[in-house]
Amino acid sequence: MADPALLNVKLLNAKLNIKQISETAIISSLDELLQFVQLTPETKAFAKLKLLNTPGTFPLRVPVAYAKRIKKGDPNDPLLKQILPVNEESQRHDDFLSDPVDDLNHQPVPGLIHKYSSRALLITTGACSIHCRYCFRREFPYADFSLLNQNLDAVISYLHQHKNIQEIILSGGDPLTLSNRRLENLLEKLAEVAHLKHLRIHSRQPIVIPDRIDQELIDLLAQNRLKTCVVIHCNHGNEIDQAVLESLLRLHRAGIVLLNQSVLLKGVNNNLQTLSDLSLRLYEASVLPYYINVLDRVQGSVHFLVDDEAAKALIKGMRDKLPGYLVPRLVKDIPGKDAKTILA
């Protein structure tokens, strides 16, 4: 009898119209994803899913490289839960917003967010290889702030004028969805701002498509004038397979500082063993746990919410279980504050 998993891959190949399925291929159909992870109406586990068949302006999007790590036939898989559109997303709540961290009110020029005195954040692109259902920018109007040449010139001019800014943060979307050539052009312009000292890149690419971390990118980051830190986004130890481990170690060996930010998510990682295992797995990859964020209250994410007191108890448990350098700080982004608020 033919291997069902192989049949699913062949079916996905045909639907994506490619001869050989690629790790970087994107699954964007709910039917394709469910077939790929072996959850179809014919399986008993399918009945446990409460699916959102029309996710609207925030469609399903997941790379094959990531989907391969999802346990087949398991509707409770923590990786699947992060990317599967469910009916709870359609519920509206008064205290859940489209811009929960107040980014839109802190853009002195299009695409540049300047909330904190010594650092500014650049929206490099609206593109992302994976659509995490809890994303706090899932309703961000990227089309209004695209980093076109004229906008980039305005950003660089603003940075030249504000000498208190010492660190520039590349965000999005995901900045590592940009080509190496576009990144090189951007980094060259940023390096011309003499008072900038640090470059921070927030990216989920090393986790979801580890092949993106090619030697050209590593050389580009390592040879940049600015002291460079890559902050990855990993929520569960199962996200770190051998390919991810090797890509992170290559960055580390090139002298790139590696930190991790997680989001505390109900049903995904809100238990002590899972968080402890994640910290240990990150450390194997030479990544230090940095922050674990309580959920930013963006519309459509209420089913992921873990209350602050439960979150604090988890951090206390981690302190009892792990060395201090493997315990991330529990933080909350509160609009109007000078920095993230540390809860524990």
Side-chain angles (χ1 to χ4, degrees), residues 66 69-70 77-79 82 204 206-207 232-245 248 260-263 265 268-285 287 289 292 318:
Y66 188 87
R69 293 170 236 162
I70 295 171
D77 181 86
L79 277 61
Q82 294 181 60
R204 195 135 159 79
I207 297 297
I232 66 167
H233 176 185
C234 183
N235 294 317
H236 196 283
N238 290 358
E239 294 180 330
I240 305 177
D241 63 2
Q242 189 61 32
V244 171
L245 179 70
L248 293 170
N260 182 63
Q261 287 198 96
S262 302
V263 180
L265 302 166
V268 173
N269 60 7
N270 62 318
N271 70 77
L272 178 58
Q273 191 62 52
T274 297
L275 291 177
S276 299
D277 289 346
L278 172 59
S279 283
L280 291 169
R281 187 63 172 153
L282 288 166
Y283 193 50
E284 288 179 25
V287 181
I292 184 162
M318 293 183 74

Side-chain angles (χ1 to χ4, degrees), residues 183-228:
L183 274 173
E184 183 176 20
N185 178 62
L186 175 58
L187 295 184
E188 285 176 353
K189 289 180 180 295
L190 291 171
E192 293 171 0
V193 182
H195 55 271
L196 282 181
K197 296 180 180 178
H198 304 136
L199 169 70
R200 198 191 324 169
I201 299 175
H202 285 205
S203 178
R204 195 135 159 79
Q205 288 288 84
I207 297 297
V208 302
I209 304 182
D211 285 353
R212 172 64 185 96
I213 311 304
D214 57 25
Q215 192 58 49
E216 184 179 26
L217 174 63
I218 292 172
D219 291 344
L220 181 61
L221 298 180
Q223 296 165 11
N224 178 53
R225 176 183 72 80
L226 305 175
K227 177 65 176 178
T228 300

